[in-house]
Amino acid sequence: MRNLVLTGGIRHDFTDNTAAVIALLDSVGIESEATEDIDAGVAALALGSFDLVTVMALRWPMEGNPKYAPYRAEWAYSMPRETQWNLANYVERGGGLFGLHTAALCFDDWEGWRALLGGQWRWGRSFHPPRGPVRVTATAQSHPLTEDLSGFSLEDEVFSQLSLARDVMPLLTARAETGDSTDQPVLWARQVGAGRAVYDALGHDRASLETPEHARLIQRCALWAGGAEVPS
């Protein structure tokens, strides 16, 4: 299986995170390459060389809040209509989509991203407590991704109050173990046309990505989204 990672952005070590994810997927036979050029990467999907596209980036127009002004020249991004169509077409015709952590914050001026990924950050409503101890729990939904997985703990951020598509059925929820926190959906998987889409809201840094239970989950997510058999 071949995987294209769309990456890059602010306030996360995307270089290190991408290297960690590529290594995890390589160990289950998934060959990956990464790019920070979103438009060129999505255009390459139409060539049929990739079974899966993984979005582990923080790319959005960065309009409004002046605190993002220092980053806009390098990282602000609004997805052109052609790229939107190419990405949606890739998934709907059978490609796999795997979104990690900040993928929900990406492309926030494109409503179709929520329909593809299954959920999206809403500025002014969505938030996350500070990074810290998190308890992850499986829901009652049965799925190969969470088979034999009842729950685990790790250090991460819990994205809260995301805007979810109507057909999303969470497979995992998470709760920050400090402060006033409630259970929030952090994993779902769904069909999108002939393709498959998975979103994992965890994965702020290498420590989270390489927590053994989370690492195994990431491998399962990529395999399932790419149409491969998920090992038990």
Side-chain angles (χ1 to χ4, degrees):
M1 183 188 300
R2 296 196 68 226
N3 171 43
L4 177 66
V5 184
L6 304 179
T7 189
I10 69 171
R11 297 186 174 177
H12 296 73
D13 190 343
F14 285 107
T15 299
D16 192 51
N17 288 355
T18 297
V21 169
I22 287 176
L24 286 173
L25 300 188
D26 181 69
S27 67
V28 291
I30 300 175
E31 177 187 350
S32 302
E33 64 181 75
T35 182
E36 294 179 352
D37 189 334
I38 305 296
D39 297 332
V42 172
L45 297 176
L47 301 177
S49 299
F50 296 100
D51 309 286
L52 174 68
V53 58
T54 297
V55 179
M56 189 173 60
L58 186 45
R59 303 296 305 278
W60 83 105
M62 297 188 185
E63 296 173 347
N65 198 319
K67 71 181 180 180
Y68 298 119
Y71 310 108
R72 285 179 188 140
E74 183 175 11
W75 295 115
Y77 176 76
S78 180
M79 184 177 281
R81 288 188 180 274
E82 181 179 3
T83 304
Q84 294 174 9
W85 187 89
N86 285 337
L87 183 54
N89 187 61
Y90 168 78
V91 178
E92 290 167 359
R93 291 196 173 192
L97 171 64
F98 181 20
L100 272 163
H101 196 48
T102 49
L105 284 81
C106 289
F107 324 139
D108 69 337
D109 56 344
W110 175 33
E111 186 62 31
W113 181 232
R114 176 177 175 269
L116 278 182
L117 188 65
Q120 194 169 36
W121 185 274
R122 291 297 191 221
W123 298 99
R125 189 186 85 175
S126 304
F127 67 97
H128 67 78
R131 179 184 178 278
V134 171
R135 180 62 189 170
V136 181
T137 304
T139 70
Q141 295 294 321
S142 177
H143 197 279
L145 297 185
T146 51
E147 183 180 353
D148 301 326
L149 181 64
S150 58
F152 57 94
S153 295
L154 77 173
E155 296 272 329
D156 214 315
E157 299 168 336
V158 179
F159 285 178
S160 304
Q161 297 300 315
L162 298 178
S163 176
L164 305 185
R166 291 183 179 180
D167 64 336
V168 163
M169 303 294 289
L171 302 175
L172 294 177
T173 62
R175 175 192 292 255
E177 293 187 356
T178 58
D180 184 14
S181 180
T182 58
D183 290 327
Q184 297 292 324
V186 293
L187 180 75
W188 58 77
R190 52 206 276 275
Q191 292 288 145
V192 180
R196 290 175 169 182
V198 180
Y199 175 63
D200 173 2
L202 303 170
H204 177 77
D205 55 20
R206 180 181 284 268
S208 167
L209 296 166
E210 293 183 346
T211 296
E213 297 90 345
H214 192 202
R216 182 183 178 204
L217 180 65
I218 288 168
Q219 293 167 336
R220 285 182 169 188
C221 287
L223 289 167
W224 186 86
E229 183 178 352
V230 176
S232 58

